[in-house]
Amino acid sequence: MTAASATGLLTMFGVDMVDMYFLTLLGEQELAAAVGFAGTLIFFLVSVSIGLQIALGALVARSEGAQRRDLARRYCTSGLLFNALVSTVISAVAWFQLRPLLEVLGATGVTLEYAVSYAGILLPNMPILVLGMSMAAGVRAVGDARRSMWATVLGSLVNAGLDPLFIFTFGWGLEGAAWASVAARVVTFAVAWHALAVVHRLPCRISMAQFIADIRPIMVIAGPAVLTNLATPISNSFVLRTMSQFGDSAVAGAAIMGRITPVAFAAIFALSGAVGPIIGQNAGAGRYDRVRSTLASALGFTVIYVAVVWLLLALSAEAIVSTFSASEKAADLILFYCWFLVGTFAFNGFLFVANASFNNLHHAHWATCFNFGRAVLGTIPAVWFGAQWFGPRGVMAGEAFGAI
């Protein structure tokens, strides 16, 4: 389950990293900074959608584990409709308030204009991304990680193929990167729909009364799950706002690492998505011995994986700086992270696994408390003091401390 999910995430995050590489070739530090600001705003919306898809996946997995395919189909359909409505409303509000939101994050001048242009293309297509992710979660919830993976992989390959064409050949620059991402979302949506509706036949006809009745069990999980996932972009926004006071070079360095880190830790991100359906189905079947062994294996895997990645990134630090043409503060931050801070991601991994467990064991509110605890008690105070005492390095170290 983790290997399939990690393959999908690796291609998706890898394309984001390639996006950043292509944009750095254009020679403007402001472009990388603009993607950092726009990406942080869009991450807010993606975090909401992840919370919504967690509810869909958890309900479908528990119903499937209890041998209730009829209930799994109904929850899947209600979940998709609910997610479509919520994502449409949120993306519309964000699109109309785009410039003020980016200014709050600290974007100014040319960087602000680039960020508005980039995010203005991506935001109207957020419902397509949310539905694609939700359908992939539904496929994964019935144990078909392979087809869920292909939805992400094919979308990412389309993005990778169109990136150089749109950015360089057509001369669209930053907007070309955005349009390539839009095309990728449409492909992910189409592939996920085929797996969900044609292969597994999960969506079905439901009445308005059934949909309204299903909103409550969806919200019992989705409400805390959305809040859980919002804690990360809230702390990320504070980090970015704090980092912006040190200039575009510092923001660019953080943005570059923000693209590299998900690639390096794709398996850790995938692990939380993988253990959720396993825990949900076994809990639904009353097999708590398997729930416990899944948890123990996941934590052990996290420690070993992070140790290996830390070694690889430490050895590759200088190459990363030269590949992304990083200069001054950007280069210093990249080296500092790769050499000293990578190991702290193990604590993020522990939290991901714990939260996936809570969401599938009727304790979604616990995940909310722990994630907000990380942001409010850990990250925000540590970043603030780190910035005062140690500058940009202190900001980055403070963010890592939050997870510990």
Side-chain angles (χ1 to χ4, degrees), residues 35-62:
V35 172
F37 285 114
T40 300
L41 175 60
I42 290 169
F43 187 44
F44 263 101
L45 308 183
V46 171
S47 295
V48 173
S49 77
I50 291 173
L52 296 175
Q53 79 177 48
I54 284 171
L56 186 153
L59 290 170
V60 170
R62 290 188 71 92

Side-chain angles (χ1 to χ4, degrees), residues 287-333:
R287 290 297 304 271
Y288 284 92
D289 57 319
R290 290 183 175 178
V291 172
R292 294 188 188 94
S293 68
T294 299
L295 277 173
S297 300
L299 297 178
F301 173 83
T302 299
V303 172
I304 296 169
Y305 184 89
V306 171
V308 172
V309 169
W310 193 359
L311 176 63
L312 293 175
L313 282 179
L315 294 173
S316 307
E318 298 281 0
I320 292 171
V321 169
S322 62
T323 299
F324 286 90
S325 307
S327 59
E328 301 171 5
K329 293 175 185 174
D332 180 66
L333 287 176

Side-chain angles (χ1 to χ4, degrees), residues 36-113:
F37 285 114
T40 300
L41 175 60
I42 290 169
F43 187 44
F44 263 101
L45 308 183
V46 171
S47 295
V48 173
S49 77
I50 291 173
L52 296 175
Q53 79 177 48
I54 284 171
L56 186 153
L59 290 170
V60 170
R62 290 188 71 92
S63 301
E64 190 78 0
Q67 307 295 318
R68 289 291 307 273
R69 173 51 75 100
D70 59 321
L71 200 55
R73 296 184 70 197
R74 174 174 157 178
Y75 279 139
C76 178
T77 307
S78 296
L80 290 176
L81 289 173
F82 184 75
N83 295 1
L85 289 171
V86 173
S87 62
T88 300
V89 171
I90 292 176
S91 57
V93 171
W95 191 79
F96 283 113
Q97 298 297 320
L98 182 53
R99 186 176 291 271
L101 289 172
L102 289 169
E103 288 174 343
V104 167
L105 291 176
T108 56
V110 176
T111 301
L112 173 62
E113 298 307 319

